[in-house]
Amino acid sequence: MGDKYSIAVLPGDGIGPEVMAEALKVLEKIEESFKIECSTTEADFGGIAIDNHGEALPDSTLDLCKNSDAVLLGSIGGPKWENLPPEQQPERAGLLPIRKELGLFANLRPAIIFPQLTAASPLKDEILKGGMDLLVVRELTGGIYFGSPKVREGDKALDTLVYTKPEIERIAHVAFKAAEQRQGKVTSIDKANVLTSMVLWREVVTELAKEYPEVEVNHMYVDNGAMQLVRNPNQFDVILCGNMFGDILSDEASMITGSLGMLPSASLGEGNFGLYEPSGGSAPDIAGKGIANPIAQILSLGMMFKHSFNRKDIYDAVFQSISGVLEAGYRTKDIYTPDCTVVGTSEMGTMITEKL
Ligand code: IPM
Ligand code: MN
């Protein structure tokens, strides 16, 4: 008998269900081709859960996730829920608590330019020199997103940026270990010239680097990092950041790849369990039109096999099929360049499935 994995499937809102449908097509084909059995269970999360259950993260959804081997998430949020009080909105009441509750402190966001897509990148080829392959390692359950106090008092409001040594160490370990498997370089991002918490960040990363003599480490202030990313993205291998800086720089990195619709992510805790979602949002402006790019969702599924199920071969196969479809000239609208053929969400998903 082959392996059997249980996957919690949370399609969410906006383009979430559309791109999820394509990832599930791919999953079915993976089961067939690799003789793997997966059981998928769908649950409401985000805006749809507010509509159906009165809250963004119902206990039943959280329990399902806790009892699964991995979670595949679409994306959540949209204009329909924007007028709710901030603490009830899908992002704040859904995404942040699910990360925290599941202990997912490490967010991996690989930004890879498929060679076929260099023309879709806003950067010139003389800068890209044919490609880009970097990994943003973002701390996900601490920093200014979660620090307290977090208070609104009339015309005054405050958030707190707090990091402890153990929090910095555990995410830095993830970055160093990833670098060992890649080009052996970590760039740690901070704002140690201004923020006390970031002075600690730099100290802890510098200290920990001694445990990884094979890895080269350098430090960059976040403003410089944002600039260097568009000036010369190929100087980076692994970019290590706190929660907020990682949020910002990963969007920037994703845009260099051509589209936010290309960037997958893995959110991991201590064990093999993980949550996998596209880095982009629910894109309400294009939801329901059948034009969303399903590649980030499909790559997120690939990352699930690599990180949670220890099947890098399946990740590679998924990556190759996507490459193949791009090579054949098919593009969703977001990555379209002249002389290519535009296809919709579902055609793109079907073609990737058939290439597997
Ligand atoms: C992301 C998103 C979220 C974040 C928002 C929607 C809360 O931008 O996953 O990058 O800031 O973490
Ligand atoms: Mn973001």
Side-chain angles (χ1 to χ4, degrees):
M1 271 311 285
D3 301 318
K4 175 146 188 171
Y5 302 109
S6 59
I7 304 171
V9 173
L10 316 178
D13 310 314
I15 60 168
E18 292 168 54
V19 292
M20 184 64 83
E22 303 314 309
L24 294 179
K25 277 187 203 165
V26 174
L27 177 61
E28 212 173 293
K29 184 69 184 283
I30 290 173
E31 289 183 273
E32 244 175 69
S33 307
F34 291 85
K35 310 271 178 287
I36 284 181
E37 244 188 289
C38 296
S39 64
T40 56
T41 312
E42 276 196 30
D44 289 340
F45 177 54
I48 186 156
I50 295 177
D51 292 352
N52 293 343
H53 311 264
E55 52 183 338
L57 176 55
D59 287 343
S60 53
T61 299
L62 186 60
D63 287 343
L64 171 71
C65 295
K66 287 183 173 164
N67 292 316
S68 302
D69 295 317
V71 181
L72 189 62
L73 170 60
S75 51
I76 65 171
K80 186 172 175 196
W81 305 280
E82 260 162 26
N83 295 321
L84 288 172
E87 67 284 358
Q88 288 172 29
Q89 289 176 11
E91 293 85 345
R92 202 101 50 108
L95 215 42
L96 300 188
I98 205 173
R99 291 169 177 170
K100 194 76 169 177
E101 288 285 339
L102 299 173
L104 305 171
F105 65 87
N107 185 217
L108 312 186
R109 297 187 164 181
I112 299 170
I113 301 198
F114 286 82
Q116 301 87 351
L117 287 188
T118 48
S121 170
L123 294 191
K124 297 189 198 115
D125 200 45
E126 48 195 276
I127 293 176
L128 292 175
K129 299 188 184 75
M132 176 178 85
D133 180 353
L134 61 82
L135 174 69
V136 177
V137 174
R138 169 188 177 193
E139 199 289 326
L140 202 60
T141 51
I144 198 164
Y145 274 51
F146 290 94
S148 63
K150 205 180 245 309
V151 191
R152 172 72 192 260
E153 275 165 5
D155 290 347
K156 183 180 161 197
L158 74 93
D159 296 283
T160 304
L161 173 45
V162 51
Y163 269 118
T164 61
K165 187 175 176 192
E167 280 179 300
I168 301 167
E169 279 176 344
R170 66 178 183 177
I171 191 68
H173 275 299
V174 173
F176 282 107
K177 292 200 168 100
E180 282 180 331
Q181 305 297 317
R182 298 173 46 100
Q183 268 76 62
K185 187 171 173 190
V186 169
T187 303
S188 175
I189 301 290
D190 62 46
K191 190 69 188 174
N193 50 348
V194 178
L195 303 173
T196 315
S197 53
M198 294 286 106
V199 173
L200 178 69
W201 182 279
R202 189 173 284 216
E203 267 174 34
V204 173
V205 174
T206 304
E207 189 57 33
L208 199 83
K210 294 179 188 154
E211 294 178 29
Y212 299 88
E214 307 293 306
V215 178
E216 176 194 340
V217 61
N218 68 331
H219 303 268
M220 245 179 223
Y221 298 137
V222 62
D223 49 349
N224 183 32
M227 186 265 280
Q228 294 295 339
L229 205 48
V230 288
R231 197 185 70 85
N232 177 17
N234 283 308
Q235 71 186 284
F236 297 105
D237 177 25
V238 175
I239 301 181
L240 164 64
C241 330
N243 207 341
M244 184 161 69
F245 295 161
D247 178 44
I248 298 166
L249 293 188
S250 62
D251 265 31
E252 188 185 351
S254 77
M255 196 55 227
I256 299 173
T257 71
S259 165
L260 204 47
M262 296 296 297
L263 202 76
S265 84
S267 303
L268 308 170
E270 299 289 357
N272 288 332
F273 180 84
L275 177 149
Y276 300 83
E277 60 174 320
S279 290
S282 59
D285 53 321
I286 58 163
K289 296 187 177 159
I291 59 171
N293 185 346
I295 293 179
Q297 186 76 60
I298 294 170
L299 279 171
S300 299
L301 174 72
M303 288 187 88
M304 170 182 292
F305 279 96
K306 178 167 160 184
H307 294 279
S308 283
F309 306 155
N310 218 342
R311 292 295 301 261
K312 180 164 182 304
D313 58 324
I314 296 181
Y315 171 83
D316 290 341
V318 170
F319 193 93
Q320 287 314 318
S321 337
I322 295 170
S323 256
V325 172
L326 296 174
E327 188 62 42
Y330 296 103
R331 306 281 188 273
T332 43
K333 219 171 152 215
D334 56 315
I335 49 174
Y336 173 77
T337 47
D339 302 327
C340 293
T341 311
V342 183
V343 295
T345 311
S346 157
E347 283 166 283
M348 181 56 97
T350 301
M351 283 190 286
I352 295 169
T353 306
E354 282 168 358
K355 272 251 180 312
L356 256 170

